[in-house]
Amino acid sequence: MAELDTYRHSVAHVMAQAVKRLFPEARLAIGPPIADGFYYDFELERPLTPEDLEAIEAEMRSIIAEDLPIERRVLPRAEAEEFFRRAGERYKLELIEELPEDEEVSCYTQGEFTDLCAGPHLARTGEIDPEAFKLLNVAGAYWRGDERREMLQRIYGTAFETKEQLEAHLERLEEAARRDHRRLGRELDLFSFSDEVGAGLVLWHPKGATVRMLIEDFWRRVHLQRGYDIVYSPHIARAGLWKTSGHLQWYRDSMYSGMNIDGVEYLVKPMNCPFHILMYKSRTRSYRELPLRWAELGTVYRYERSGVLHGLLRVRGFTQDDAHIFCRPDQLEAEIEGVIDLALFLLKSFGFDRFEMELSLSDPENMDKYAGDPERWREAEAVLEAILERRGETYKKAVGEAAFYGPKIDIKLFDALDRGWQGPTIQFDFNLPERFDLTYMGEDNLPHRPYMVHRTVLGAMERFLGNLIEHYGGAFPMWLAPVQVKVLPVTERNIAYAEKVQGRLREAGLRVEVDARDEKIGYKVRQAQLEKVPYMLVVGNREEQASTVAVRHRSQGDLGPRSLEDFLASVSEEARMPG
Ligand SMILES: [Zn+2]
Ligand SMILES: [Zn+2]
C-alpha cells in the first residue's frame, strides 16, 4: 500500500506539472495520495471544465512519455522561500513558514516543475502507466479546510499500476454511483431535505418511514428478547444538567444555542446518556436489580459544519439506537458478550457478514490523563480483550487510543461493494458515574460504583438507512420493502378484482399497492421494476376468470400463474421479520 501511495503521489505531481503547463497562472496548494487515488488543490482564474480535465490528462501522458527523472533536493529554508516567492507560489510559502526555523526544505523536481514535498516518489515519470490513471472530477475545497480562507479547485484522480485494475475500479465507482442513497432516496421517494427546514434535517417520506419503522420494530423486538427495557427521554434539558455531565465543558461546540424557558436556559440534547443516568438515580439501586439495560431510539442534535453534511450519512438531527448498561463487576463479561452477540445478530439480519473490530485501550504510561480508577480500567480492558480472543474475532488493538473516559470496541461493517462503514460501538464510561455519583447497594450493604457502558449497534437510523440503501442498491429484501407487492390490472375492467386481491393480501399482513392508472401493462411492469417492488401480480381477464394471479419477481422475472393462497404461502417466509 505504501508503494501504491508513492505511485499515486507521483501521478499527482505529474498532474500538477500538466496543470502548470496549461495554466501557467495556476497556484499550487497541496496534493496528497488518498484511499483509491489522489487529489491536488489549485488556485485558478476560472472553473475547470470536463474538457480541461481531458486536456490535462493528455498533457500528463506527454510528461510520462518524456520520462523525466524525479529528483529530490534539500534546500536551506531561505533559499526555498526565495524560490517559491519568485514562482509566486504563496500557498507553498505559507507551508514553508510553518516549518521550524532551522529545518531544511525538501523539494522534488521533474523537468521544469518543482514542488515543495517530503516525498517519496518514483525515480522517473516514465514509470507511470499512461493507461492506468484517470482524472475523475473537480470539487471546491477551502485552503486548509478553513471556510474563511480561499476557495480552491480540487482535481480528484485515481491511478493504478495496471489498466485492468483501473478499469475494475472505475466499474466499482459506477456501481457505487448507481447505488448512491441520495439518488435512490429521490427515485424511490424515501426521503428529502428542504432549504426551508434547514440543512442536515431529514424529511422521511411514507416509503422511507416504512422502512425505518420496520427496522425500529425489529430493533425493539430483538432488544426486548435480550433483556433490555425501552425508555424515552426529553429533547431538551436545563443547562445545569449539561454542566454536571461535562458536555458544556467538552462538547459545547457541537451543541446548539440555548433557549430561555421561564428565565432558565435549556439546551437541545446532543446525547441521551444524562437522562438515563437520572433515571438510574431516581431511587436507590440494589445489587439484585443489576444489570439494567436501558435502550432508547433517542433523537439528538449536533452541530456539523455545512460543508461536511452528506445525504443521510452526515446530518444535524439524528436518532441513535442508544442503550446504557449499568452492571456489577461480576456481570461485565456476560454483558459485553451479550452486546457483541446482539450487534452481530442484528447486522447479519441485514445481510452484512464481514466485520472488523478495533479495541481502543488506555496508554499504560499515562494513566493520570484518564478519568476514574486505574484498577477498574485494567479490569474493563482485560474483559474486552478476553472476549475478543475467546470469540476468535480478528481485531486491531489500539493502545493509547481510548477516550479519557473509557476503553471501547468499534465494529466496522462491510457492504455489498466491500466498502467499510462505521458500525457498533461499545464504550465504557468511568467519568459520568463519578460526575453523577452513581451507586448501588451491595450485598455488604455499602454503596458501590456500577460499571456503565454506552453502546449503539446501528449508530443512527439516518446513517444506517443510508448504508442500507446502498448495500441493497435500493432493492430491499421482502421483509423491509416499503411496498412488497404491486397488483397490476391489465385493463380498467380488472381494477375491481385487483382491489379484491389487494384486500386479501393486506389481510395477510402484506404491504400492497394497486396500479390503477390508465396505462399499458408493459409500462406498469417497468414502473414497478424501477420502484424495485419484490413481487408484481398481473391480473387480466384470464386471471380473473380462473381466480389466479400472474406472478412476476423483480429479479427472477415471470413465475407463472398461481392461486392467491399459493402465492401467499410461497412468500410468507421471506416476508417475515428475521429473528
Ligand atoms: Zn508531493
Ligand atoms: Zn451514552
Side-chain angles (χ1 to χ4, degrees), residues 470-511:
E470 302 201 356
H471 177 58
Y472 289 130
F476 293 104
M478 182 73 165
W479 74 276
L480 272 179
V483 177
Q484 296 168 305
V485 180
K486 215 153 174 183
V487 188
L488 311 177
V490 175
T491 70
E492 213 178 316
R493 287 190 306 280
N494 308 117
I495 291 176
Y497 178 63
E499 284 170 349
K500 222 175 92 191
V501 168
Q502 179 188 37
R504 172 68 192 111
L505 296 178
R506 275 191 175 157
E507 227 174 72
L510 294 180
R511 297 180 289 279

Side-chain angles (χ1 to χ4, degrees), residues 124-383:
R124 312 185 67 87
T125 60
E127 288 176 36
I128 296 166
D129 182 337
E131 298 300 316
F133 72 85
K134 182 155 181 59
L135 303 187
L136 298 172
N137 61 299
V138 183
Y142 291 105
W143 169 234
R144 324 221 80 170
D146 181 344
E147 43 210 280
R148 289 160 305 188
R149 300 297 306 270
E150 296 84 347
M151 172 64 97
L152 306 172
Q153 295 189 63
R154 174 171 297 176
I155 305 179
Y156 281 102
T158 188
F160 289 85
E161 280 163 344
T162 68
K163 191 180 174 190
E164 290 68 39
Q165 286 168 346
L166 173 69
E167 277 168 1
H169 179 70
L170 293 178
E171 247 163 66
R172 234 166 59 109
L173 287 183
E174 266 172 43
E175 182 57 29
R178 272 193 292 277
R179 288 171 181 246
D180 188 310
H181 74 280
R182 293 167 299 177
R183 171 179 168 172
L184 287 170
R186 202 167 41 241
E187 287 173 8
L188 302 177
D189 196 15
L190 301 173
F191 62 86
S192 66
F193 294 90
S194 158
D195 274 348
E196 281 180 82
V197 177
L201 301 166
V202 186
L203 298 170
W204 294 84
H205 297 201
K207 285 179 180 154
T210 300
V211 180
R212 173 171 166 172
M213 177 192 70
L214 292 162
I215 295 171
E216 291 183 356
D217 287 351
F218 174 50
W219 183 92
R220 269 187 215 100
R221 199 171 78 191
V222 170
H223 280 76
L224 292 173
Q225 282 166 347
R226 290 170 189 243
Y228 282 75
D229 293 306
I230 304 286
V231 298
Y232 294 95
S233 59
H235 287 232
I236 59 173
R238 298 170 66 154
L241 176 65
W242 306 110
K243 184 156 188 281
T244 309
S245 68
H247 285 93
L248 278 189
Q249 197 183 344
W250 303 109
Y251 210 71
R252 188 66 184 91
D253 288 349
S254 300
M255 295 170 72
Y256 293 99
S257 40
M259 62 191 94
N260 182 303
I261 303 178
D262 294 342
V264 176
E265 193 188 16
Y266 282 71
L267 290 162
V268 179
K269 69 173 164 183
M271 294 187 194
N272 306 299
C273 334
F275 298 100
H276 296 191
I277 287 174
L278 292 183
M279 290 182 210
Y280 181 97
K281 274 178 70 99
S282 63
R283 60 178 173 77
T284 309
R285 302 288 170 181
S286 146
Y287 71 94
R288 282 195 205 83
E289 58 188 309
L290 300 183
L292 293 170
R293 308 182 192 102
W294 289 346
E296 173 171 12
L297 291 163
T299 303
V300 299
Y301 294 85
R302 295 181 190 171
Y303 178 71
E304 296 274 8
R305 287 183 302 116
S306 62
V308 303
L309 298 174
H310 180 90
L312 294 178
L313 301 184
R314 209 61 187 268
V315 289
R316 286 179 170 166
F318 56 94
T319 301
Q320 283 187 302
D321 72 313
D322 208 358
H324 295 97
I325 295 172
F326 303 94
C327 71
R328 305 189 307 256
D330 60 294
Q331 295 167 328
L332 263 187
E333 202 154 334
E335 288 309 308
I336 301 296
E337 184 94 52
V339 173
I340 296 176
D341 276 337
L342 180 152
L344 295 186
F345 172 75
L346 267 178
L347 293 173
K348 284 176 180 167
S349 303
F350 294 103
F352 295 103
D353 51 15
R354 191 158 90 74
F355 307 100
E356 264 173 22
M357 303 199 186
E358 184 167 307
L359 171 61
S360 299
L361 302 172
S362 61
D363 173 3
E365 310 285 303
N366 265 314
M367 280 316 285
D368 48 337
K369 72 175 189 187
Y370 300 103
D373 173 8
E375 190 44 51
R376 285 160 69 84
W377 272 81
R378 266 193 291 280
E379 187 170 16
E381 292 181 339
V383 164

